[in-house]
Amino acid sequence: MTARDMPRRTAITGLASAPLAARAQTGDPVADFYAGRTLRFQIGVATGGATDFVGRAVGNHLGRHIPGRPVVQIENVPGASSLAMTNNLYNRGARDGLMMGMSLNGVVIEPKLRLMQGAGGAIMFDPGKFNWIGTPSHLPHVVWVRDDAPARTFEDLRRMKILVGAISPASDSSILPRLMNATLGTKFEIIGGYVGVNQIFIASERGEVQGAVVGIANLTSSKPDWLRDRKARILLQFGTERSADLPDIPTALEVAQDEASREMLRVYATKFQVAFPIFMPPEVPRERVEAVRAAFLATMKDPRFLEDARRGGIDVDPLSGEDVAKAVRAIEQTPQDIVDRLRAALGA
């Protein structure tokens, strides 16, 4: 799907501002620049869904924390798994601080792995040149199995076949089991073709599959009783470190048995650490980038934002723009032989 396939929908949020002509000079050049102006915040997915919800929750409150209190105009620009918006923002986005975007998390690893190029996903940006603003949350994925599945621990997954449901070959529900089979010695048999995560849950209840790899939020929001009543158990999590909500569950990095496998898993797991990446184009004046970065972190503590996040089931656990930039640099520094092995393991 490209950006032309769906209409662009725009919602204007934030506080009304005085006309440009009526702006008072404050002596703060950043505030003077933003006062009375509109900041366009582009979200690289269609309306609806978790990414759109998170982007709107941030956009609805960000303007209050930017000096000058600009209006934040939210625009959905779907297409090519967020690559359409990301390419456009990088190459055509205003460099003055009045444009920013939020993409799907696969964008942070795509320039290195190029997993989507066979499906027409062109890369026309250098991630190291974006001005990264932050991410509101981590999004750990987990391996879960039914209570009657024979696997009780991760080590059992190395000894016995487990049927896991998946959506499409390009989805993490399929990619992660394949990656585990290649790097960790698991024996997952992937049953694909389900329309979505909820259909995988239904298939589990019917006995078609014994588990799956999904975002932890999908499990806790859709099937909270499964964990509470021990109808399902989590055996492994993906991320660069253990989630605070899953302190007793090992990460894939911890159970990897060699450094090459660990590095492959680390690269792919970065997308779960940087779950909802927010960025500005290159060449934006440094003082405006820093002001928006500070406003983002202030938004993460804003009671009104936190209430919206709570209602939407968002686990707010932000990373700063500097930390996101550091994660992106680490991906870019990955040795090519590791990248080649990872692409081969994923069938790229």
Side-chain angles (χ1 to χ4, degrees), residues 194-222:
Y194 293 102
V195 176
V197 172
N198 286 335
Q199 283 67 40
I200 294 175
F201 291 151
I202 293 171
S204 171
E205 292 173 325
R206 291 197 297 250
E208 296 175 12
V209 299
Q210 296 166 293
V213 184
V214 301
I216 183 62
N218 294 116
L219 193 58
T220 56
S221 63
S222 297

PDB file of all heavy atoms in Angstrom, residues 194-222:
ATOM      1  N   TYR A 194      -3.168 -16.382   9.725  1.00  0.00           N
ATOM      2  CA  TYR A 194      -4.210 -15.784  10.563  1.00  0.00           C
ATOM      3  C   TYR A 194      -4.297 -14.289  10.272  1.00  0.00           C
ATOM      4  O   TYR A 194      -3.297 -13.636   9.964  1.00  0.00           O
ATOM      5  CB  TYR A 194      -3.931 -16.051  12.040  1.00  0.00           C
ATOM      6  CG  TYR A 194      -4.042 -17.516  12.392  1.00  0.00           C
ATOM      7  CD1 TYR A 194      -2.901 -18.309  12.564  1.00  0.00           C
ATOM      8  CD2 TYR A 194      -5.285 -18.128  12.508  1.00  0.00           C
ATOM      9  CE1 TYR A 194      -2.997 -19.655  12.860  1.00  0.00           C
ATOM     10  CE2 TYR A 194      -5.395 -19.485  12.797  1.00  0.00           C
ATOM     11  CZ  TYR A 194      -4.251 -20.243  12.978  1.00  0.00           C
ATOM     12  OH  TYR A 194      -4.348 -21.588  13.245  1.00  0.00           O
ATOM     13  N   VAL A 195      -5.506 -13.748  10.377  1.00  0.00           N
ATOM     14  CA  VAL A 195      -5.731 -12.361  10.010  1.00  0.00           C
ATOM     15  C   VAL A 195      -5.110 -11.405  11.012  1.00  0.00           C
ATOM     16  O   VAL A 195      -4.621 -10.339  10.654  1.00  0.00           O
ATOM     17  CB  VAL A 195      -7.243 -12.087   9.873  1.00  0.00           C
ATOM     18  CG1 VAL A 195      -7.504 -10.617   9.585  1.00  0.00           C
ATOM     19  CG2 VAL A 195      -7.835 -12.958   8.765  1.00  0.00           C
ATOM     20  N   GLY A 196      -5.110 -11.770  12.264  1.00  0.00           N
ATOM     21  CA  GLY A 196      -4.566 -10.903  13.295  1.00  0.00           C
ATOM     22  C   GLY A 196      -4.310 -11.675  14.567  1.00  0.00           C
ATOM     23  O   GLY A 196      -4.554 -12.888  14.655  1.00  0.00           O
ATOM     24  N   VAL A 197      -3.824 -10.953  15.586  1.00  0.00           N
ATOM     25  CA  VAL A 197      -3.464 -11.594  16.849  1.00  0.00           C
ATOM     26  C   VAL A 197      -4.678 -12.236  17.509  1.00  0.00           C
ATOM     27  O   VAL A 197      -4.594 -13.338  18.066  1.00  0.00           O
ATOM     28  CB  VAL A 197      -2.799 -10.574  17.795  1.00  0.00           C
ATOM     29  CG1 VAL A 197      -2.588 -11.172  19.184  1.00  0.00           C
ATOM     30  CG2 VAL A 197      -1.459 -10.109  17.220  1.00  0.00           C
ATOM     31  N   ASN A 198      -5.824 -11.556  17.449  1.00  0.00           N
ATOM     32  CA  ASN A 198      -7.015 -12.122  18.087  1.00  0.00           C
ATOM     33  C   ASN A 198      -7.415 -13.453  17.452  1.00  0.00           C
ATOM     34  O   ASN A 198      -7.914 -14.349  18.137  1.00  0.00           O
ATOM     35  CB  ASN A 198      -8.177 -11.129  18.011  1.00  0.00           C
ATOM     36  CG  ASN A 198      -8.014  -9.974  18.980  1.00  0.00           C
ATOM     37  OD1 ASN A 198      -7.334 -10.106  19.991  1.00  0.00           O
ATOM     38  ND2 ASN A 198      -8.615  -8.849  18.668  1.00  0.00           N
ATOM     39  N   GLN A 199      -7.185 -13.575  16.142  1.00  0.00           N
ATOM     40  CA  GLN A 199      -7.493 -14.843  15.484  1.00  0.00           C
ATOM     41  C   GLN A 199      -6.534 -15.944  15.941  1.00  0.00           C
ATOM     42  O   GLN A 199      -6.915 -17.117  16.024  1.00  0.00           O
ATOM     43  CB  GLN A 199      -7.417 -14.667  13.963  1.00  0.00           C
ATOM     44  CG  GLN A 199      -8.624 -13.962  13.353  1.00  0.00           C
ATOM     45  CD  GLN A 199      -8.719 -12.506  13.775  1.00  0.00           C
ATOM     46  OE1 GLN A 199      -7.698 -11.823  13.855  1.00  0.00           O
ATOM     47  NE2 GLN A 199      -9.925 -12.028  14.051  1.00  0.00           N
ATOM     48  N   ILE A 200      -5.308 -15.573  16.253  1.00  0.00           N
ATOM     49  CA  ILE A 200      -4.364 -16.552  16.807  1.00  0.00           C
ATOM     50  C   ILE A 200      -4.841 -17.012  18.182  1.00  0.00           C
ATOM     51  O   ILE A 200      -4.776 -18.203  18.514  1.00  0.00           O
ATOM     52  CB  ILE A 200      -2.950 -15.952  16.888  1.00  0.00           C
ATOM     53  CG1 ILE A 200      -2.409 -15.671  15.483  1.00  0.00           C
ATOM     54  CG2 ILE A 200      -2.006 -16.895  17.640  1.00  0.00           C
ATOM     55  CD1 ILE A 200      -1.065 -14.976  15.455  1.00  0.00           C
ATOM     56  N   PHE A 201      -5.334 -16.077  18.977  1.00  0.00           N
ATOM     57  CA  PHE A 201      -5.853 -16.462  20.292  1.00  0.00           C
ATOM     58  C   PHE A 201      -7.025 -17.439  20.148  1.00  0.00           C
ATOM     59  O   PHE A 201      -7.124 -18.423  20.888  1.00  0.00           O
ATOM     60  CB  PHE A 201      -6.314 -15.214  21.062  1.00  0.00           C
ATOM     61  CG  PHE A 201      -5.196 -14.303  21.493  1.00  0.00           C
ATOM     62  CD1 PHE A 201      -5.408 -12.944  21.636  1.00  0.00           C
ATOM     63  CD2 PHE A 201      -3.937 -14.798  21.771  1.00  0.00           C
ATOM     64  CE1 PHE A 201      -4.391 -12.091  22.044  1.00  0.00           C
ATOM     65  CE2 PHE A 201      -2.903 -13.962  22.169  1.00  0.00           C
ATOM     66  CZ  PHE A 201      -3.132 -12.604  22.308  1.00  0.00           C
ATOM     67  N   ILE A 202      -7.919 -17.161  19.202  1.00  0.00           N
ATOM     68  CA  ILE A 202      -9.058 -18.059  18.968  1.00  0.00           C
ATOM     69  C   ILE A 202      -8.564 -19.425  18.501  1.00  0.00           C
ATOM     70  O   ILE A 202      -9.064 -20.468  18.939  1.00  0.00           O
ATOM     71  CB  ILE A 202     -10.016 -17.439  17.934  1.00  0.00           C
ATOM     72  CG1 ILE A 202     -10.677 -16.180  18.516  1.00  0.00           C
ATOM     73  CG2 ILE A 202     -11.078 -18.451  17.509  1.00  0.00           C
ATOM     74  CD1 ILE A 202     -11.466 -15.380  17.506  1.00  0.00           C
ATOM     75  N   ALA A 203      -7.555 -19.429  17.623  1.00  0.00           N
ATOM     76  CA  ALA A 203      -6.995 -20.698  17.145  1.00  0.00           C
ATOM     77  C   ALA A 203      -6.391 -21.498  18.293  1.00  0.00           C
ATOM     78  O   ALA A 203      -6.484 -22.727  18.319  1.00  0.00           O
ATOM     79  CB  ALA A 203      -5.926 -20.427  16.085  1.00  0.00           C
ATOM     80  N   SER A 204      -5.801 -20.803  19.250  1.00  0.00           N
ATOM     81  CA  SER A 204      -5.261 -21.492  20.424  1.00  0.00           C
ATOM     82  C   SER A 204      -6.377 -22.135  21.233  1.00  0.00           C
ATOM     83  O   SER A 204      -6.262 -23.282  21.687  1.00  0.00           O
ATOM     84  CB  SER A 204      -4.481 -20.499  21.288  1.00  0.00           C
ATOM     85  OG  SER A 204      -4.112 -21.076  22.520  1.00  0.00           O
ATOM     86  N   GLU A 205      -7.478 -21.410  21.397  1.00  0.00           N
ATOM     87  CA  GLU A 205      -8.611 -21.959  22.155  1.00  0.00           C
ATOM     88  C   GLU A 205      -9.221 -23.165  21.442  1.00  0.00           C
ATOM     89  O   GLU A 205      -9.754 -24.067  22.101  1.00  0.00           O
ATOM     90  CB  GLU A 205      -9.659 -20.862  22.352  1.00  0.00           C
ATOM     91  CG  GLU A 205      -9.188 -19.741  23.284  1.00  0.00           C
ATOM     92  CD  GLU A 205     -10.152 -18.578  23.346  1.00  0.00           C
ATOM     93  OE1 GLU A 205     -10.788 -18.266  22.307  1.00  0.00           O
ATOM     94  OE2 GLU A 205     -10.276 -17.971  24.424  1.00  0.00           O
ATOM     95  N   ARG A 206      -9.109 -23.196  20.110  1.00  0.00           N
ATOM     96  CA  ARG A 206      -9.621 -24.340  19.355  1.00  0.00           C
ATOM     97  C   ARG A 206      -8.634 -25.494  19.308  1.00  0.00           C
ATOM     98  O   ARG A 206      -8.955 -26.566  18.787  1.00  0.00           O
ATOM     99  CB  ARG A 206      -9.959 -23.909  17.922  1.00  0.00           C
ATOM    100  CG  ARG A 206     -11.143 -22.971  17.795  1.00  0.00           C
ATOM    101  CD  ARG A 206     -11.657 -22.943  16.362  1.00  0.00           C
ATOM    102  NE  ARG A 206     -10.642 -22.431  15.459  1.00  0.00           N
ATOM    103  CZ  ARG A 206     -10.716 -21.241  14.844  1.00  0.00           C
ATOM    104  NH1 ARG A 206     -11.746 -20.443  15.077  1.00  0.00           N
ATOM    105  NH2 ARG A 206      -9.759 -20.866  14.018  1.00  0.00           N
ATOM    106  N   GLY A 207      -7.426 -25.278  19.787  1.00  0.00           N
ATOM    107  CA  GLY A 207      -6.419 -26.323  19.774  1.00  0.00           C
ATOM    108  C   GLY A 207      -5.627 -26.416  18.486  1.00  0.00           C
ATOM    109  O   GLY A 207      -4.868 -27.367  18.290  1.00  0.00           O
ATOM    110  N   GLU A 208      -5.758 -25.417  17.599  1.00  0.00           N
ATOM    111  CA  GLU A 208      -5.015 -25.435  16.338  1.00  0.00           C
ATOM    112  C   GLU A 208      -3.533 -25.133  16.552  1.00  0.00           C
ATOM    113  O   GLU A 208      -2.683 -25.638  15.819  1.00  0.00           O
ATOM    114  CB  GLU A 208      -5.600 -24.409  15.361  1.00  0.00           C
ATOM    115  CG  GLU A 208      -7.021 -24.699  14.923  1.00  0.00           C
ATOM    116  CD  GLU A 208      -7.591 -23.583  14.058  1.00  0.00           C
ATOM    117  OE1 GLU A 208      -6.794 -22.713  13.615  1.00  0.00           O
ATOM    118  OE2 GLU A 208      -8.810 -23.566  13.832  1.00  0.00           O
ATOM    119  N   VAL A 209      -3.238 -24.245  17.495  1.00  0.00           N
ATOM    120  CA  VAL A 209      -1.859 -23.890  17.819  1.00  0.00           C
ATOM    121  C   VAL A 209      -1.679 -23.966  19.327  1.00  0.00           C
ATOM    122  O   VAL A 209      -2.652 -23.962  20.092  1.00  0.00           O
ATOM    123  CB  VAL A 209      -1.491 -22.481  17.296  1.00  0.00           C
ATOM    124  CG1 VAL A 209      -1.610 -22.414  15.785  1.00  0.00           C
ATOM    125  CG2 VAL A 209      -2.351 -21.410  17.948  1.00  0.00           C
ATOM    126  N   GLN A 210      -0.410 -24.023  19.736  1.00  0.00           N
ATOM    127  CA  GLN A 210      -0.097 -24.139  21.171  1.00  0.00           C
ATOM    128  C   GLN A 210       0.419 -22.845  21.774  1.00  0.00           C
ATOM    129  O   GLN A 210       0.623 -22.767  22.980  1.00  0.00           O
ATOM    130  CB  GLN A 210       0.954 -25.247  21.361  1.00  0.00           C
ATOM    131  CG  GLN A 210       0.468 -26.630  20.958  1.00  0.00           C
ATOM    132  CD  GLN A 210       1.608 -27.607  20.845  1.00  0.00           C
ATOM    133  OE1 GLN A 210       2.468 -27.484  19.973  1.00  0.00           O
ATOM    134  NE2 GLN A 210       1.627 -28.600  21.737  1.00  0.00           N
ATOM    135  N   GLY A 211       0.627 -21.844  20.948  1.00  0.00           N
ATOM    136  CA  GLY A 211       1.136 -20.574  21.443  1.00  0.00           C
ATOM    137  C   GLY A 211       1.451 -19.646  20.301  1.00  0.00           C
ATOM    138  O   GLY A 211       1.031 -19.862  19.156  1.00  0.00           O
ATOM    139  N   ALA A 212       2.223 -18.592  20.591  1.00  0.00           N
ATOM    140  CA  ALA A 212       2.578 -17.611  19.562  1.00  0.00           C
ATOM    141  C   ALA A 212       3.612 -16.660  20.144  1.00  0.00           C
ATOM    142  O   ALA A 212       3.919 -16.691  21.349  1.00  0.00           O
ATOM    143  CB  ALA A 212       1.347 -16.841  19.089  1.00  0.00           C
ATOM    144  N   VAL A 213       4.124 -15.802  19.273  1.00  0.00           N
ATOM    145  CA  VAL A 213       4.980 -14.691  19.687  1.00  0.00           C
ATOM    146  C   VAL A 213       4.213 -13.417  19.382  1.00  0.00           C
ATOM    147  O   VAL A 213       3.895 -13.137  18.220  1.00  0.00           O
ATOM    148  CB  VAL A 213       6.328 -14.699  18.937  1.00  0.00           C
ATOM    149  CG1 VAL A 213       7.223 -13.582  19.466  1.00  0.00           C
ATOM    150  CG2 VAL A 213       7.021 -16.043  19.078  1.00  0.00           C
ATOM    151  N   VAL A 214       3.890 -12.640  20.410  1.00  0.00           N
ATOM    152  CA  VAL A 214       3.078 -11.431  20.246  1.00  0.00           C
ATOM    153  C   VAL A 214       3.625 -10.342  21.150  1.00  0.00           C
ATOM    154  O   VAL A 214       4.418 -10.599  22.058  1.00  0.00           O
ATOM    155  CB  VAL A 214       1.590 -11.684  20.597  1.00  0.00           C
ATOM    156  CG1 VAL A 214       0.981 -12.778  19.730  1.00  0.00           C
ATOM    157  CG2 VAL A 214       1.426 -12.028  22.081  1.00  0.00           C
ATOM    158  N   GLY A 215       3.196  -9.112  20.897  1.00  0.00           N
ATOM    159  CA  GLY A 215       3.497  -8.030  21.822  1.00  0.00           C
ATOM    160  C   GLY A 215       2.813  -8.298  23.161  1.00  0.00           C
ATOM    161  O   GLY A 215       1.662  -8.737  23.193  1.00  0.00           O
ATOM    162  N   ILE A 216       3.527  -8.049  24.229  1.00  0.00           N
ATOM    163  CA  ILE A 216       2.966  -8.331  25.551  1.00  0.00           C
ATOM    164  C   ILE A 216       1.660  -7.578  25.758  1.00  0.00           C
ATOM    165  O   ILE A 216       0.737  -8.083  26.413  1.00  0.00           O
ATOM    166  CB  ILE A 216       3.981  -7.991  26.666  1.00  0.00           C
ATOM    167  CG1 ILE A 216       3.435  -8.338  28.050  1.00  0.00           C
ATOM    168  CG2 ILE A 216       4.386  -6.535  26.610  1.00  0.00           C
ATOM    169  CD1 ILE A 216       3.142  -9.795  28.266  1.00  0.00           C
ATOM    170  N   ALA A 217       1.529  -6.377  25.177  1.00  0.00           N
ATOM    171  CA  ALA A 217       0.297  -5.606  25.337  1.00  0.00           C
ATOM    172  C   ALA A 217      -0.893  -6.315  24.715  1.00  0.00           C
ATOM    173  O   ALA A 217      -2.017  -6.217  25.227  1.00  0.00           O
ATOM    174  CB  ALA A 217       0.464  -4.217  24.726  1.00  0.00           C
ATOM    175  N   ASN A 218      -0.676  -7.049  23.600  1.00  0.00           N
ATOM    176  CA  ASN A 218      -1.775  -7.806  22.994  1.00  0.00           C
ATOM    177  C   ASN A 218      -2.300  -8.857  23.954  1.00  0.00           C
ATOM    178  O   ASN A 218      -3.515  -9.082  24.062  1.00  0.00           O
ATOM    179  CB  ASN A 218      -1.300  -8.495  21.712  1.00  0.00           C
ATOM    180  CG  ASN A 218      -0.936  -7.520  20.619  1.00  0.00           C
ATOM    181  OD1 ASN A 218       0.204  -7.449  20.203  1.00  0.00           O
ATOM    182  ND2 ASN A 218      -1.896  -6.753  20.142  1.00  0.00           N
ATOM    183  N   LEU A 219      -1.384  -9.491  24.665  1.00  0.00           N
ATOM    184  CA  LEU A 219      -1.778 -10.558  25.581  1.00  0.00           C
ATOM    185  C   LEU A 219      -2.459 -10.002  26.821  1.00  0.00           C
ATOM    186  O   LEU A 219      -3.515 -10.482  27.240  1.00  0.00           O
ATOM    187  CB  LEU A 219      -0.543 -11.370  25.966  1.00  0.00           C
ATOM    188  CG  LEU A 219      -0.758 -12.714  26.670  1.00  0.00           C
ATOM    189  CD1 LEU A 219      -1.619 -13.650  25.840  1.00  0.00           C
ATOM    190  CD2 LEU A 219       0.594 -13.365  26.972  1.00  0.00           C
ATOM    191  N   THR A 220      -1.880  -8.968  27.408  1.00  0.00           N
ATOM    192  CA  THR A 220      -2.431  -8.444  28.657  1.00  0.00           C
ATOM    193  C   THR A 220      -3.740  -7.694  28.455  1.00  0.00           C
ATOM    194  O   THR A 220      -4.586  -7.667  29.353  1.00  0.00           O
ATOM    195  CB  THR A 220      -1.419  -7.521  29.344  1.00  0.00           C
ATOM    196  OG1 THR A 220      -1.034  -6.463  28.436  1.00  0.00           O
ATOM    197  CG2 THR A 220      -0.174  -8.286  29.764  1.00  0.00           C
ATOM    198  N   SER A 221      -3.918  -7.073  27.265  1.00  0.00           N
ATOM    199  CA  SER A 221      -5.157  -6.328  27.040  1.00  0.00           C
ATOM    200  C   SER A 221      -6.287  -7.224  26.545  1.00  0.00           C
ATOM    201  O   SER A 221      -7.450  -7.048  26.937  1.00  0.00           O
ATOM    202  CB  SER A 221      -4.919  -5.193  26.039  1.00  0.00           C
ATOM    203  OG  SER A 221      -4.528  -5.706  24.776  1.00  0.00           O
ATOM    204  N   SER A 222      -5.956  -8.201  25.688  1.00  0.00           N
ATOM    205  CA  SER A 222      -6.999  -9.048  25.106  1.00  0.00           C
ATOM    206  C   SER A 222      -7.326 -10.269  25.955  1.00  0.00           C
ATOM    207  O   SER A 222      -8.469 -10.725  25.989  1.00  0.00           O
ATOM    208  CB  SER A 222      -6.581  -9.514  23.710  1.00  0.00           C
ATOM    209  OG  SER A 222      -6.428  -8.424  22.833  1.00  0.00           O
TER     210      SER A 222
END
